[in-house]
Amino acid sequence: MKALHIGRVAAVLTVGALALTACGTDNVVTPGNGGGTTASTGSTVTGTLTGTGASSISAAMDAWKAGFESANSGAKIQYSPEGSGAGRKALIAGAVQFAGSDAFMKDEELTSAKEKCGPDGAINVPWYISPIAVAFNVDGVKDLKLDADTIAKIFRGEIKNWNDPAIKAANTDATLPDLAITPVHRSDNSGTTENFTDYLAAAASGVWTDKKSGDWPSALPGENAKGTSGVVKTVIETAGAITYADDSAVTDALGKVELKVGDAFVPVTAEAAAKAVDAATVVAGRSANDLSLKLDRTTTVAGAYPAVLVSYGVFCASYPDTSAVDLVKAFGSFVLSDEGQKQAADAAKSAPLSAELAAKAKASIDSISVASK
């Protein structure tokens, strides 16, 4: 794997998800007027991009849609937050034009994507970084310090009450009630789930015996709900409940956990998430324009928050005509521009891309081409 060595930028990252299927006949793309430039240049494009995928990026995607459509009056972005797994499946099937995913495509998915995307297949382009908050509903408690083992035991049902000695040990100043804990997890295949279980499998390997997966282990206790908004809503309505969710969706009604990293506890912030991504490496053996990242969940870097997700736009490497390429590049350029990045940060509390990773992401978008006949 190749290390990224990420340097910060002042601009704040964006997320997004977009990949236009190259060869399908059901593409909803109307002819554009060319250009394919960012909104700041004054050039515009027209057409419709339709996608589905990660619900974690909903707030950022709404901001991008509004900004892009304002700058390109003839363009429209349609996005349905059905979950990362649903997004990847829909792109592979040619049912949508782009996918948003909090987990990069697996090797077998990349192979399957060639049927609709052509021989060069699909590429994963990161453009949203966000911490996964461990959020809870305990009256009068807004902050708790927990290590990975304790979190894993809570979600496995091994720690059942909020006044358990393991929780009290790190939170001597908190008033912890004799209240049952209700773990809440995603019911749909979720990139947030895959990232969270990846963190637990690495940082709490002695407790979390399941492999990372976008599907929550069915044998574990607790409630479930669909989508990021679904699990957050369930926890807000359930005293004693706890969940994991993109931090952008967690309201002030809930408390949040500080994660133990090394000998310190790190609160949920965009800057802490970015520090964790600084040590990421590019997954080896993929195309030069694929930026799938391997995260270090056991980092001891001061101030890093390792329960982090990187959301990807999953694109085809080529598209059937110039107007489609212009449109997808225009949208990609917008979300990676300073304007697009700021809009996502304001809407979703997302983390900054490093200068190197931002440049690589832009180069990946620029590599998208017209499919050869």
Side-chain angles (χ1 to χ4, degrees):
M1 297 182 188
K2 181 182 178 183
L4 280 180
H5 305 300
I6 297 175
R8 302 285 177 80
V9 287
V12 194
L13 159 141
T14 54
V15 341
L18 110 80
L20 198 50
T21 49
C23 301
T25 59
D26 54 355
N27 288 347
V28 187
V29 181
T30 57
N33 63 355
T37 56
T38 61
S40 61
T41 67
S43 297
T44 60
V45 292
T46 61
T48 299
L49 298 179
T50 303
T52 186
S55 61
S56 61
I57 64 173
S58 293
M61 183 61 75
D62 286 345
W64 290 333
K65 286 165 59 178
F68 184 72
E69 289 171 6
S70 176
N72 299 271
S73 60
K76 187 173 181 62
I77 306 299
Q78 297 177 337
Y79 185 78
S80 178
E82 299 297 328
S84 296
R88 297 194 306 274
K89 288 179 180 178
L91 177 66
I92 290 169
V96 296
Q97 299 168 304
F98 67 90
S101 179
D102 297 338
F104 55 77
M105 274 190 166
K106 299 177 177 64
D107 290 342
E108 56 269 26
E109 291 176 317
L110 289 173
T111 298
S112 297
K114 292 181 179 181
E115 181 177 348
K116 294 293 183 180
C117 290
D120 293 329
I123 55 175
N124 300 274
V125 181
W127 52 12
Y128 179 83
I129 299 170
S130 181
I132 300 171
V134 180
F136 58 88
N137 181 355
V138 177
D139 189 35
V141 182
K142 290 299 181 184
D143 178 77
L144 285 176
K145 297 174 173 62
L146 298 176
D147 60 28
D149 282 359
T150 302
I151 295 170
K153 289 177 182 178
I154 288 172
F155 279 95
R156 296 192 76 82
E158 296 173 17
I159 293 178
K160 302 178 184 297
N161 250 50
W162 282 107
N163 63 354
D164 187 278
I167 300 176
K168 293 172 67 174
N171 299 277
T172 56
D173 295 333
T175 302
L176 295 167
D178 182 8
L179 175 67
I181 299 174
T182 302
V184 179
H185 61 268
R186 292 279 291 271
S187 60
D188 50 324
N189 183 284
S190 159
T192 308
T193 298
E194 183 164 338
N195 279 275
F196 186 59
T197 56
D198 186 37
Y199 162 70
L200 293 177
S205 57
V207 177
W208 194 264
T209 55
D210 296 280
K211 294 181 179 180
K212 75 170 184 178
S213 175
D215 296 308
W216 189 258
S218 60
L220 299 185
E223 302 294 329
N224 67 76
K226 184 177 180 180
T228 301
S229 60
V231 294
V232 171
K233 182 176 184 290
T234 300
V235 174
I236 290 174
E237 296 174 347
T238 309
I242 186 170
T243 194
Y244 55 93
D246 187 275
D247 188 47
S248 66
V250 178
T251 71
D252 292 339
L254 300 179
K256 298 179 185 179
V257 170
E258 295 184 24
L259 300 184
K260 190 171 186 181
V261 178
D263 296 325
F265 288 92
V266 180
V268 183
T269 67
E271 293 75 19
K275 280 191 175 183
V277 178
D278 281 354
T281 54
V282 177
V283 175
R286 299 193 164 195
S287 72
N289 295 308
D290 187 281
L291 295 179
S292 303
L293 298 177
K294 172 65 176 176
L295 299 168
D296 181 5
R297 305 296 190 179
T298 60
T299 182
T300 57
V301 172
Y305 186 93
V308 59
L309 65 81
V310 177
S311 201
Y312 298 85
V314 188
F315 306 79
C316 287
S318 62
Y319 302 89
D321 53 59
T322 301
S323 60
V325 170
D326 287 346
L327 185 56
V328 75
K329 285 186 174 182
F331 185 65
S333 295
F334 176 79
V335 299
L336 290 171
S337 70
D338 289 349
E339 181 182 357
Q341 292 179 358
K342 184 178 187 305
Q343 288 176 358
D346 291 345
K349 300 182 288 185
S350 54
L353 281 175
S354 72
E356 183 179 354
L357 185 55
K360 286 177 179 287
K362 182 61 167 59
S364 291
I365 290 175
D366 289 344
S367 74
I368 295 169
S369 62
V370 178
S372 58
K373 302 293 185 179

